């Protein structure tokens, strides 16, 4: 049964060529590299580690953890073993309910503290190629997303590259008064 699940999920494994960006001196720098990442949020917990390892063996060089080390913290050990980059994304709640009235006292501070703590955990586990993602659209309102984007420079203090995943975001449509994007 586990083999069947692995086969099913390996078909759904998303491998993408990524461009990652970070802020330096208040300018956005985009450097395209031959890096491959995958994410496996919908994979059952028993399979994530195995699929991640297979992807790394096949040449993936980034683990894109959209759970922010919440779903399977042992993935960090794979990043260390394969000297892979590790993207730590912030998300509030789970995918089915995260957009049901997300609340923060201070979204920038809370996301910063979360990411700073997770980067320290990664470093403690011998992973130094860490990238943070503030999680635009993951358990955040339009206002939260815009605040995070306006304060991306704050996240430079963490000392690692910042990834902003802006694809397929409903917030863009809201900003454009519901026009299709």
């Amino acid at each position: 049964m586990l083999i069947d699940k692995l086969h099913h999920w390996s078909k759904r494994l998303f491998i993408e060529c990524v461009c990652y960006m970070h802020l330096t001196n208040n300018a956005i720098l985009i450097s395209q590299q031959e890096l491959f990442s995958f994410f496996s949020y919908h994979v059952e917990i028993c399979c994530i580690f195995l699929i991640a390892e297979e992807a790394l063996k096949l040449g993936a060089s980034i683990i894109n953890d959209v759970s922010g080390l919440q779903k399977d913290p042992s993935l960090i050990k794979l990043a260390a073993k394969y000297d892979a980059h590790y993207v730590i994304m912030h998300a509030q709640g789970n995918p089915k309910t995260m957009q049901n009235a997300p609340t923060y006292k201070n979204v920038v501070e809370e996301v910063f503290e979360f990411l700073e703590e997770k980067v320290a955990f990664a470093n403690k586990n011998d992973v130094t190629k860490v990238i943070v993602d503030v999680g635009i659209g993951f358990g955040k309102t339009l206002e939260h997303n815009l605040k995070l984007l306006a304060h991306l420079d704050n996240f430079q203090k963490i000392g690692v590259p910042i990834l902003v995943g802006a694809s397929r975001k409903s917030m863009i449509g809201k900003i454009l008064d519901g026009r299709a994007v």
Side-chain angles (χ1 to χ4, degrees):
M1 177 179 265
L2 178 59
I3 298 301
D4 290 339
K5 287 180 182 180
L6 281 173
H7 180 72
H8 169 75
W9 287 111
S10 66
K11 287 182 181 177
R12 296 185 65 177
L13 186 60
F14 182 84
I15 298 179
E16 63 185 46
C17 186
V18 299
C19 221
Y20 70 90
M21 65 181 103
H22 58 96
L23 293 170
T24 305
N25 298 327
N26 296 322
I28 296 177
L29 301 177
I30 300 174
S31 77
Q32 189 160 12
Q33 311 215 355
E34 291 181 20
L35 301 174
F36 294 90
S37 74
F38 68 94
F39 71 92
S40 53
Y41 194 85
H42 298 289
V43 180
E44 292 179 35
I45 193 76
C46 65
C47 302
I48 292 173
F49 189 91
L50 297 172
I51 290 175
E53 185 157 36
E54 286 306 309
L56 291 165
K57 287 178 185 175
L58 292 170
S61 56
I62 300 176
I63 297 174
N64 188 356
D65 185 354
V66 297
S67 81
L69 290 164
Q70 302 298 304
K71 197 167 183 182
D72 189 356
S74 68
L75 286 174
I76 205 73
K77 297 193 182 312
L78 282 180
K81 178 179 177 181
Y82 289 90
D83 194 31
H85 290 75
Y86 201 95
V87 177
I88 301 170
M89 188 187 84
H90 177 272
Q92 185 183 75
N94 66 60
K96 292 180 181 172
T97 62
M98 67 185 169
Q99 290 309 116
N100 298 345
T103 56
Y104 298 87
K105 289 180 182 174
N106 183 319
V107 69
V108 175
E109 284 182 16
E110 290 175 51
V111 172
F112 180 90
E113 288 171 5
F114 173 87
L115 292 172
E116 185 177 50
E117 175 187 314
K118 298 304 177 184
V119 168
F121 176 79
N123 292 161
K124 182 178 173 186
N125 283 276
D126 300 321
V127 176
T128 57
K129 296 178 181 177
V130 180
I131 301 166
V132 294
D133 181 344
V134 296
I136 300 298
F138 285 80
K140 295 165 186 82
T141 65
L142 175 60
E143 182 181 341
H144 295 142
N145 292 325
L146 294 175
K147 280 184 181 177
L148 287 166
L149 289 171
H151 293 92
L152 280 178
D153 58 329
N154 291 8
F155 292 89
Q156 291 181 66
K157 296 172 191 165
I158 297 174
V160 299
I162 301 165
L163 173 93
V164 178
S167 63
R168 300 182 343 156
K169 299 297 183 204
S170 63
M171 68 171 269
I172 296 169
K174 290 176 185 173
I175 292 169
L176 298 174
D177 296 322
R179 290 178 278 159
V181 290

